[in-house]
Amino acid sequence: MAVIIDGKAVAAELREEIAGEVAALKEKRGLVPGLAVVLVGQDPASQVYVRMKGKGCDEVGFASFQHMLPSESSREELLSLVQKLNQSPEVNGILVQLPLPKHIDENSVINAIDPGKDVDGFHPVNVGKIVIGDRDCFYPCTPYGCQVLINRHVQSLKGKHLVVVGRSNIVGKPIANMMVQKNDMANCVVTVCHTAAPDIGYYTRQGDILVVAAGRPDTVRGDMIKEGAVVIDVGVNRVPDPADPSKTKLVGDVNFEEAERVASAITPVPGGVGPMTITMLLANTLKAFKLHHGIKA
Ligand code: GUN
């Protein structure tokens, strides 16, 4: 049976380290990192995420600035807030919660964020730096969390075959670009497969490490996994609970019961990648603070 990768425990450990650094910075400089989170509209899932980000900031001692705009806000209003945050010295990191209401073009908003405050790692400058292997950038939080978990469970990544299922800008594409780089947290041979593949299993069965971010339950079944593989399940899907159909439960994109019999290690859902995401956002915000204050990382 596979080892269960405890993302919650790793996240707690990292948050403790971040909190320690923040306390020392506060004492030495009288300053703490600040994260601004912008939410447009009232999407319930986004409201939960934004609240969790605020709580994460409190936990490590960051200043948290939450800006809630009504759903009918114009692109211009949002861009003017982003400009203000770009210029604010108390704000080290800016995150505009996605998705935005349909009438606002997401790319134009992402492009307006100062790349040096883009702790989401979505700005084209940060995306480009990831592709060319310039580590002076921000890695998007979910793939960054996956990379940390992979590194804790695989001794030497050099030459390992990492297969990504999914090609989103938030997970699939960045994790592939991060893990193919020649550095000690990566150096993998990377394959990206997605819904256009006639047989996803053809690819996943070759993976020493699988990162599954397809957005659909049961995308990867037990017979699609190589014996001993490390499986990172990024999916979060709410499905009817088979034990009690009046209830729902969260599952990933991987069939967990089947996969844990074949894999050597696997992330559960919930409790795997999820808790790492906000933690890496906090890590990025601390990195931004250090950058803005000329402190060596
Ligand atoms: N919506 C879902 N995931 C994310 C994320 O990582 N960042 C932002 N800004 N919005 C999201």
Side-chain angles (χ1 to χ4, degrees):
M1 287 295 254
V3 169
I4 308 300
I5 300 175
D6 188 347
K8 217 171 148 181
V10 178
E13 216 179 278
L14 295 178
R15 284 185 197 206
E16 210 168 294
E17 275 176 33
I18 294 169
E21 278 201 56
V22 173
L25 285 168
K26 190 173 179 180
E27 173 143 344
K28 190 158 169 218
R29 296 175 178 252
L31 290 170
V32 295
L35 173 67
V37 178
V38 181
L39 174 61
V40 185
Q42 319 216 306
D43 177 67
S46 292
Q47 285 176 327
V48 172
Y49 289 132
V50 167
R51 216 174 306 129
M52 284 165 63
K53 287 166 185 166
K55 273 172 84 175
C57 285
D58 294 344
E59 199 185 316
V60 297
F62 287 0
S64 162
F65 309 97
Q66 302 219 330
H67 296 267
M68 311 297 188
L69 303 189
S71 53
E72 59 278 6
S73 303
S74 67
R75 173 174 164 268
E76 287 64 35
E77 283 170 298
L78 180 53
L79 290 178
S80 117
L81 173 60
V82 168
Q83 285 312 334
K84 231 176 63 191
L85 299 173
N86 280 344
Q87 278 149 26
S88 165
E90 295 101 75
V91 172
N92 304 108
I94 302 170
L95 181 146
V96 177
Q97 187 66 32
L98 304 177
L100 287 171
K102 286 196 176 51
H103 66 279
I104 305 178
D105 171 52
E106 284 183 357
N107 281 340
S108 68
V109 177
I110 292 169
N111 290 352
I113 297 172
D114 175 350
K117 294 191 177 186
D118 169 40
V119 286
D120 248 338
F122 293 164
H123 190 286
V125 165
N126 284 311
V127 177
K129 285 185 172 188
I130 291 170
V131 174
I132 61 175
D134 180 347
R135 296 174 91 174
D136 179 19
C137 71
F138 297 108
Y139 299 111
C141 306
T142 302
Y144 194 9
C146 295
Q147 186 180 39
V148 169
L149 292 180
I150 291 166
N151 274 272
R152 293 224 170 187
H153 285 270
V154 182
Q155 292 307 325
S156 170
L157 282 170
K158 186 179 175 186
K160 291 278 186 332
H161 189 188
L162 181 132
V163 176
V164 182
V165 184
R167 54 175 154 179
S168 70
N169 288 335
I170 293 185
V171 185
K173 279 187 257 179
I175 191 76
N177 280 310
M178 288 158 67
M179 296 307 293
V180 80
Q181 298 302 327
K182 194 169 182 179
N183 65 53
D184 55 3
M185 298 233 352
N187 216 2
C188 291
V189 173
V190 175
T191 297
V192 182
C193 65
H194 46 74
T195 44
D199 176 14
I200 283 177
Y202 170 79
Y203 302 98
T204 57
R205 276 188 284 273
Q206 298 175 51
D208 302 309
I209 304 157
L210 295 184
V211 177
V212 188
R216 192 177 53 106
D218 282 345
T219 298
V220 172
R221 308 290 303 252
D223 62 359
M224 296 163 72
I225 300 169
K226 179 175 171 177
E227 185 84 39
V230 171
V231 178
I232 307 294
D233 188 352
V234 183
V236 184
N237 307 289
R238 195 160 279 287
V239 297
D241 186 348
D244 180 354
S246 70
K247 291 195 179 135
T248 60
K249 67 170 198 168
L250 286 183
V251 297
D253 292 347
V254 176
N255 184 308
F256 184 85
E257 290 70 28
E258 294 176 5
E260 71 171 339
R261 289 190 217 116
V262 191
S264 65
I266 183 168
T267 57
V269 178
V273 174
M276 293 296 288
T277 297
I278 294 180
T279 304
M280 302 328 289
L281 174 68
L282 301 172
N284 278 348
T285 305
L286 178 59
K287 182 175 181 176
F289 175 90
K290 289 180 178 171
L291 192 79
H292 299 152
H293 292 275
I295 302 167
K296 264 192 29 206

